Amino acid sequence: PRVVQGVRKAAIKPLSWYSQPELLEAAMIAARPIRARPREFFSWAESPCSYLDNKRPIDLLESQEGASRVMTYIEDYIRDHLPRNADLN
């Protein structure tokens, strides 16, 4: 889990603790136009995605091949759902 409940308060797992933090960070950056906040990104990434054969994006981001599938999905989604003149910054 990304958020671990401690005795006094919850702690958020740092990106560096994931097996492929660079792949995860690249996906988070790519998804900013549609999932601007980390909480929004992780909510999506930790849920099964029908486009990705009901696999969780967070699990696919543990390999280069899986990350490629996730990045393709994010890029396709942005292309197909955001207005052409949308500011992506």
Side-chain angles (χ1 to χ4, degrees):
R2 182 171 116 65
V3 178
V4 179
Q5 189 60 44
V7 175
R8 295 183 187 204
K9 63 179 183 176
I12 296 175
K13 181 179 177 180
L15 294 183
S16 63
W17 288 9
Y18 288 88
S19 64
Q20 298 287 332
E22 67 285 351
L23 299 177
L24 177 58
E25 185 174 19
M28 291 176 73
I29 291 168
R32 276 192 190 140
I34 50 175
R35 304 282 183 209
R37 294 188 173 105
R39 170 177 28 109
E40 296 169 340
F41 175 83
F42 280 100
S43 177
W44 167 76
E46 292 174 344
S47 300
C49 178
S50 60
Y51 181 86
L52 300 169
D53 301 323
N54 286 320
K55 292 184 171 44
R56 297 181 334 147
I58 197 77
D59 297 331
L60 292 173
L61 289 168
E62 293 180 1
S63 72
Q64 193 68 41
E65 180 181 319
S68 178
R69 291 182 63 200
V70 172
M71 294 297 279
T72 297
Y73 174 69
I74 291 170
E75 292 163 2
D76 290 350
Y77 187 93
I78 289 170
R79 183 194 67 230
D80 295 343
H81 292 87
L82 290 185
R84 298 249 182 255
N85 60 353
D87 180 14
L88 300 181
N89 293 324

